[in-house]
Amino acid sequence: MTICPHNDCTGCFACQNACTHDALRLMPGEYGYIYPVVDSEKCVNCGLCRKVCPVNTPVAKHTVISADIARAASAEEIVLSSSGGIATVLVREVLRQGGVVYGSTGVDGSNVHHIRIDSEDKVDLLKGSKYVQSHINDVYRQVKSDLSDGIKVLFIGTPCQNAGLRNYLHRDYESLVCVDFICHGVPSHELLSRHVVEMTSLTPEQTGEVTFRTRDSKGRSIYGVTVCDSKGNLVYSSHYPKDEYITAFIHGVTYRESCYSCNYATCERVSDITLGDYWDKEHRFGLEGLSMLLVNTDKGRSLFQAVKSSVNIIDHSDVDTFAVRNQQLKEPMRRNPRRDIFLELYPTQGFCHAAHTVLIDSRRAIRNQRIKDFLFKLPFLQTIYNIIRPPKQP
């Protein structure tokens, strides 16, 4: 039985949660990407899985109410966060109100999944960027149970996971606040695990913490992959563009196929609040760790008002201005033109060889751009360029 077209499936888990006969499970397929597998002996052909699928039944989107450049007021929260620490501020507020929070965890990188937390001493479990698909498993059922019991719930996930939850619930709950983030796309667990094994020779049982964002001595956030063993010893650390995994991620090589035609890469959002990185390329603010904060609904605005004393608003903006800086607010990430070569090489040649092969041109472009940026920082070259550059057309 086909629930939705294979290449459109986002792996949101709505179908698995909706099936009252436990007749389907999302399982890893080719390259490790997860897809629903139906047990024909248990399936009664009720069609519920098809009805809740956001591909078949699209979720309504919200027009953004406000857009701000922001960061947590607490310097400690910023240091311990990948970006501006806004997500942690929201999490702490909902927990202080007696609610619960659902978000992604998985420090070892091999089992990234959503969990439920109900106290502030567990907040650290949800921190950190995870550039791999988080498995929802049966979390939507837990969310519904909490909402039915009158418990306030904050759910944090990708836009497609938020859409899956909303369709599964069938109706809006005043006590549910949904937060999504501006998403590039999601690789599979298998691709990450293969990379870690190839670079460290560690088995999943031997692997400890895997992180994707670190801060340098100046507080700047850097993309990369850092791996520790189960005893906490640093085993591997490499950054963009040297690390194959993070470079393939940034250049659109490793996402699941649906990410390249994502229905949620728009200025209209499926959640109450949207978060994303704000890269201050012009050095207007002189700060590291800034977030794009989009409030999309009245519920989102209410939660934002509750945390205002814990948030520094650096500047006001608008969603169209943000979309100029972040492509995924206006269109999906471009499918890398060499992705098919990667998929062909990966099964026999391994992750790193396949990624290295397809990224040669990208690395050359990165190197040339960095040389250009360096040279144009030299005052005398800027003067020469201003003299010889062609005049602007009237």
Side-chain angles (χ1 to χ4, degrees), residues 366-382:
I366 294 166
R367 184 187 66 239
N368 291 342
Q369 185 61 49
R370 287 185 171 182
I371 292 172
K372 179 180 177 181
D373 291 344
F374 172 76
L375 292 175
F376 271 82
K377 288 180 181 178
L378 303 177
F380 73 91
L381 283 179
Q382 292 180 20

Side-chain angles (χ1 to χ4, degrees), residues 40-108:
S40 58
E41 294 185 0
K42 292 182 178 180
C43 179
V44 297
N45 292 310
C46 66
L48 189 57
C49 55
R50 295 194 191 96
K51 292 178 182 177
V52 300
C53 174
V55 175
N56 302 327
T57 309
V59 178
K61 298 172 184 174
H62 309 290
T63 301
V64 173
I65 296 173
S66 65
D68 296 293
I69 303 166
R71 68 197 319 235
S74 167
E76 182 180 359
E77 292 287 20
I78 295 170
V79 170
L80 297 175
S81 300
S82 300
S83 187
I86 301 298
T88 303
V89 171
L90 299 175
V91 167
R92 292 190 188 281
E93 175 60 27
V94 170
L95 293 174
R96 279 195 287 265
Q97 293 180 14
V100 298
V101 179
Y102 290 86
S104 178
T105 191
V107 293
D108 64 357

Side-chain angles (χ1 to χ4, degrees), residues 60-65 166 267-272 296-297:
K61 298 172 184 174
H62 309 290
T63 301
V64 173
I65 296 173
R166 289 181 58 191
C267 285
E268 293 186 316
R269 312 303 298 173
V270 298
S271 66
D272 300 298
N296 311 321
T297 67

Side-chain angles (χ1 to χ4, degrees), residues 63-282:
T63 301
V64 173
I65 296 173
S66 65
D68 296 293
I69 303 166
R71 68 197 319 235
S74 167
E76 182 180 359
E77 292 287 20
I78 295 170
V79 170
L80 297 175
S81 300
S82 300
S83 187
I86 301 298
T88 303
V89 171
L90 299 175
V91 167
R92 292 190 188 281
E93 175 60 27
V94 170
L95 293 174
R96 279 195 287 265
Q97 293 180 14
V100 298
V101 179
Y102 290 86
S104 178
T105 191
V107 293
D108 64 357
S110 65
N111 184 26
V112 177
H113 62 286
H114 268 58
I115 61 169
R116 176 187 190 270
I117 66 168
D118 56 8
S119 62
E120 287 200 61
D121 61 352
K122 299 176 182 177
V123 170
D124 287 349
L125 294 174
L126 304 184
K127 286 189 175 183
S129 299
K130 302 155 185 88
Y131 297 126
V132 65
Q133 184 160 27
S134 179
H135 291 185
I136 293 293
N137 299 319
D138 294 335
V139 154
Y140 296 160
R141 295 178 181 178
Q142 298 176 50
V143 171
K144 187 173 184 178
S145 176
D146 282 333
L147 293 171
S148 298
D149 289 340
I151 300 172
K152 187 178 184 67
V153 173
L154 176 67
F155 178 86
I156 306 174
T158 62
C160 58
Q161 290 170 340
N162 275 273
L165 174 61
R166 289 181 58 191
N167 266 12
Y168 168 76
L169 293 174
H170 297 298
R171 68 177 183 87
D172 190 26
Y173 287 80
E174 189 59 34
S175 54
L176 170 67
V177 179
C178 291
V179 174
D180 72 348
F181 46 86
I182 305 169
C183 178
H184 291 257
V186 288
S188 69
H189 285 192
E190 179 187 310
L191 296 181
L192 174 59
S193 296
R194 185 80 172 264
H195 175 62
V196 170
V197 169
E198 290 176 11
M199 300 310 298
T200 68
S201 298
L202 295 176
T203 65
E205 294 74 25
Q206 296 170 327
T207 304
E209 186 176 16
V210 178
T211 55
F212 302 96
R213 296 272 285 275
T214 56
R215 293 191 182 275
D216 64 12
S217 58
K218 296 182 180 179
R220 294 174 297 193
S221 184
I222 300 173
Y223 289 98
V225 175
T226 300
V227 183
C228 294
D229 64 20
S230 57
K231 296 180 180 179
N233 301 310
L234 178 64
V235 177
Y236 171 80
S237 183
S238 185
H239 300 118
Y240 175 84
K242 292 183 178 180
D243 178 75
E244 307 291 359
Y245 183 86
I246 204 67
T247 306
F249 174 86
I250 290 174
H251 288 268
V253 175
T254 52
Y255 311 147
R256 63 182 298 131
E257 204 62 44
S258 60
C259 297
Y260 303 108
S261 57
C262 177
N263 291 321
Y264 312 105
T266 67
C267 285
E268 293 186 316
R269 312 303 298 173
V270 298
S271 66
D272 300 298
I273 293 175
T274 297
L275 301 176
D277 289 322
Y278 181 88
W279 301 105
D280 186 18
K281 299 175 183 178
E282 299 82 12

Side-chain angles (χ1 to χ4, degrees), residues 286-341:
L287 297 169
E288 295 296 335
L290 296 174
S291 294
M292 294 182 182
L293 170 58
L294 304 176
V295 175
N296 311 321
T297 67
D298 289 338
K299 281 196 296 182
R301 181 161 49 190
S302 177
L303 179 57
F304 175 51
Q305 290 296 326
V307 301
K308 256 195 167 178
S309 62
S310 301
V311 174
N312 287 338
I313 302 299
I314 308 302
D315 199 14
H316 300 297
S317 188
D318 59 80
V319 68
D320 292 327
T321 301
F322 280 172
V324 173
R325 292 174 173 271
N326 198 311
Q327 176 185 355
Q328 281 66 57
L329 278 174
K330 56 183 177 181
E331 59 186 359
M333 186 71 174
R334 182 176 67 94
R335 191 181 193 273
N336 191 291
R338 307 193 74 190
R339 171 174 160 82
D340 287 336
I341 298 174

